[in-house]
């Protein structure tokens, strides 16, 4: 008799939940253990909170010398640069220079950071200054002070890799939920597709729409969870890498894509680049769809989405 086995787990600083469909609890738990180990392994590679991580070694050597990295890290950076290209730089892993120092979204902020200071730091944000050499498998940040970080793609990458590992182990269906960015395959234990609720930005607990999905990943970027209000204006925790300023005007973006890494990476640029440009871009990419909700609760969606 097939059943669903779930385990919530704190990983990569986020609330993950791994679900596998199996007919036996012990086997299911072993599968989940393996998925958790895989996510921890990826976190070690990508984290900026550990001096020894490859990400930090790259950052410490910015403007000094290229750093040899594992092929996996090299490939992830190369794919990130490809996404930067497609999104015209609205996705940029070199945003690390403006990341934490100016914006603190613990609701303590009372005023905007100094625009001049931001401008200074923005000079360091430019994905074109991340130089890759495949032969020597090295990464070089051209400018001193540049920093990369995988906040916009790491969770999706980890979810995708955990899913692939579970599939390799013969798990025919399940869900890896990385704090709201989730990837599904197969069907529920009862044979029906997984049903996913799309959160209502004004009431995160109350979905405004449901979708049946299988073999699909979903990522959401919204300002309803982390934001600050300064002079009556709401600023989301999503930072525009071109201006160093937080995004306003959009409440939430939901991306659908078979690949969790791409879904995660696309959620940020779609919420920044303006609704028309975003829809135009998404409509040109195969197997990518989105729903955007603006501050006036107007809903926009890409060509192939039919909202119930």
């Amino acid at each position: 008799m097939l059943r669903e086995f779930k385990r919530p787990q704190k990983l990569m600083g986020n609330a993950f939940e791994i679900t596998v469909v199996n007919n036996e609890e012990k086997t299911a738990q072993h599968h989940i253990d393996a998925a958790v180990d895989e996510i921890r392994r990826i976190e070690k590679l990508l984290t900026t909170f550990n001096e020894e991580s490859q990400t930090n070694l790259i950052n410490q050597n910015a403007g000094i010398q290229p750093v040899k990295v594992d092929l996996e890290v090299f490939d992830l950076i190369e794919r990130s640069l490809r996404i930067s290209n497609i999104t015209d730089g609205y996705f940029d892993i070199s945003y690390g220079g403006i990341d934490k120092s100016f914006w603190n979204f613990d609701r303590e902020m009372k005023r905007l950071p100094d625009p001049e200071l931001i401008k200074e730091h923005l000079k360091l944000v430019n994905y074109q200054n991340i130089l890759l050499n495949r032969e020597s498998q090295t990464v070089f940040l051209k400018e001193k002070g540049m920093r990369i970080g995988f906040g916009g793609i790491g969770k999706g990458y980890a979810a995708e890799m955990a899913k692939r590992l579970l599939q390799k182990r013969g798990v025919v269906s399940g869900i890896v939920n990385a704090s709201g960015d989730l990837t599904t395959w197969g069907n529920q234990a009862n044979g029906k597709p997984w049903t996913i609720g799309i959160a209502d930005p004004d009431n995160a607990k109350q979905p405004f729409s449901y979708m049946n999905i299988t073999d699909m990943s979903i990522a959401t970027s919204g300002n309803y969870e982390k934001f600050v209000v300064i002079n009556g204006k709401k600023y989301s925790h999503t930072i525009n890498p071109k201006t160093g300023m937080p995004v306003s005007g959009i409440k939430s973006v939901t991306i659908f894509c078979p690949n969790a890494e791409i879904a995660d990476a696309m959620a940020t640029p779609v919420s920044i680049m303006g609704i028309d440009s975003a829809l135009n871009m998404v409509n040109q990419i195969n197997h990518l769809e989105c729903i955007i909700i603006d501050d006036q609760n107007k809903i926009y969606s890409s060509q192939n989405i039919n909202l119930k």
Side-chain angles (χ1 to χ4, degrees):
M1 172 83 170
L2 286 176
R3 285 164 52 212
E4 282 156 34
F5 299 93
K6 294 180 185 205
R7 185 190 305 171
Q9 181 107 24
K10 182 113 193 259
L11 295 158
M12 302 179 92
N14 285 282
F16 273 67
E17 185 176 64
I18 297 164
T19 305
V20 300
V21 173
N22 206 289
N23 48 15
E24 212 253 333
E25 166 134 34
K26 202 169 162 204
T27 316
Q29 296 300 345
H30 280 316
H31 288 317
I32 294 174
D33 287 341
V36 168
D37 287 347
E38 173 69 347
I39 295 165
R40 287 204 170 116
R41 180 189 73 76
I42 290 165
E43 177 174 23
K44 247 199 190 111
L45 277 182
L46 304 184
T47 182
T48 47
F49 293 110
N50 167 7
E51 290 298 302
E52 307 298 296
S53 80
Q54 298 199 1
T55 312
N56 268 346
L57 289 175
I58 294 168
N59 290 341
Q60 284 156 10
N61 285 284
I64 302 167
Q65 62 187 6
V67 174
K68 190 171 184 355
V69 294
D70 292 3
L71 186 59
E72 181 178 3
V73 175
F74 186 93
D75 286 344
L76 179 62
I77 292 174
E78 190 172 66
R79 291 195 302 276
S80 298
L81 297 185
R82 222 172 285 150
I83 293 169
S84 295
N85 251 322
I86 292 166
T87 60
D88 189 27
Y90 283 105
F91 174 86
D92 194 330
I93 58 169
S94 70
Y95 70 89
I98 45 170
D99 191 24
K100 295 286 175 281
S101 41
F102 296 112
W103 296 100
N104 183 354
F105 289 92
D106 59 8
R107 317 275 166 108
E108 289 301 301
M109 280 184 65
K110 297 285 180 276
R111 58 169 191 267
L112 296 175
D114 174 2
E116 283 309 306
L117 215 53
I118 287 187
K119 223 190 252 154
E120 216 25 63
H121 278 251
L122 270 182
K123 291 181 187 150
L124 298 174
V125 179
N126 183 352
Y127 71 93
Q128 287 163 335
N129 286 332
I130 302 171
L131 307 181
L132 299 183
N133 182 327
R134 186 163 276 283
E135 259 167 50
S136 55
Q137 218 172 287
T138 56
V139 182
F140 180 47
L141 306 183
K142 215 162 118 184
E143 304 292 331
K144 231 181 165 44
M146 264 183 92
R147 291 174 59 78
I148 59 166
F150 295 99
I153 197 170
K155 267 192 332 192
Y157 174 61
E160 184 68 22
M161 292 297 279
K163 172 184 80 175
R164 287 181 194 180
L165 178 83
L166 290 168
Q167 288 174 322
K168 261 199 206 106
R169 293 174 63 103
V171 177
V172 288
S173 53
I175 298 181
V176 180
N177 184 342
S179 183
D181 293 353
L182 53 94
T183 187
T184 66
W185 70 103
N187 289 316
Q188 298 179 62
N190 63 13
K192 292 185 174 150
W194 299 104
T195 303
I196 303 295
I198 310 292
D200 178 339
D202 292 332
N203 184 356
K205 296 195 175 27
Q206 192 57 55
F208 78 81
S209 179
Y210 287 93
M211 287 192 149
N212 289 336
I213 58 167
T214 181
D215 303 319
M216 185 58 71
S217 302
I218 292 189
T220 304
S221 172
N223 70 7
Y224 50 91
E225 280 166 351
K226 281 194 205 154
F227 59 88
V228 286
V229 177
I230 297 171
N231 300 333
K233 190 171 177 183
K234 199 169 173 183
Y235 293 93
S236 92
H237 68 114
T238 306
I239 305 288
N240 181 338
K242 296 189 176 195
T243 62
M245 295 294 282
V247 179
S248 53
I250 296 221
K251 269 188 189 164
S252 84
V253 164
T254 305
I255 300 279
F256 303 85
C257 177
N259 180 305
E261 175 190 313
I262 294 172
D264 187 14
M266 282 297 187
T268 306
V270 165
S271 62
I272 299 170
M273 64 199 311
I275 293 168
D276 291 344
S277 309
L279 290 174
N280 191 18
M281 176 188 75
V282 171
N283 286 333
Q284 289 176 50
I285 300 174
N286 282 341
H287 312 301
L288 187 70
E289 302 298 336
C290 74
I291 297 172
I292 303 172
I293 304 177
D294 73 9
D295 275 354
Q296 271 66 55
N297 288 333
K298 192 163 175 212
I299 299 170
Y300 304 82
S301 63
S302 55
Q303 279 161 352
N304 299 321
I305 292 247
N306 303 312
L307 284 174
K308 302 212 181 4

